[in-house]
Amino acid sequence: MAKGSIIMEINADALKNFQDSKFNFVDADGNDVDFDNLDESVKYTLRDGETVVEDDMHAKDVVDTINNEYGKNMVRQ
């Protein structure tokens, strides 16, 4: 395994829910994140439009945020 790479899995439903939300992740250069190629050596930023919500996130933080916040049942009953 290459240095900095880790094995993580984003739940497909959670990722769809996240992608349908107003939030997005970008890398340090402001590029949209390729969720299939997250790298623990890269820092990511969670944004709401142009507003920074959380900065200096590791790949594991990105995966945990999406799975934990968007993997929940999004329909309130």
Side-chain angles (χ1 to χ4, degrees):
M1 184 181 307
K3 182 178 180 184
S5 64
I6 56 176
I7 298 173
M8 299 171 286
E9 185 172 321
I10 299 175
N11 175 280
D13 291 332
L15 181 58
K16 181 176 179 346
N17 290 335
F18 175 76
Q19 290 172 327
D20 290 342
S21 77
K22 64 180 182 173
F23 298 98
N24 70 320
F25 279 103
V26 295
D27 64 18
D29 295 324
N31 299 312
D32 288 333
V33 172
D34 177 357
F35 293 106
D36 290 326
N37 291 305
L38 293 171
D39 187 332
E40 197 58 33
S41 68
V42 175
K43 298 288 183 151
Y44 300 98
T45 300
L46 175 62
R47 296 191 316 191
D48 177 356
E50 292 299 316
T51 304
V52 172
V53 176
E54 189 168 345
D55 205 7
D56 293 326
M57 298 176 75
H58 293 279
K60 182 180 182 331
D61 301 324
V62 171
V63 172
D64 289 347
T65 297
I66 293 172
N67 285 341
N68 294 338
E69 297 301 321
Y70 293 90
K72 300 174 184 172
N73 184 353
M74 300 300 286
V75 178
R76 304 284 181 221
Q77 297 182 2

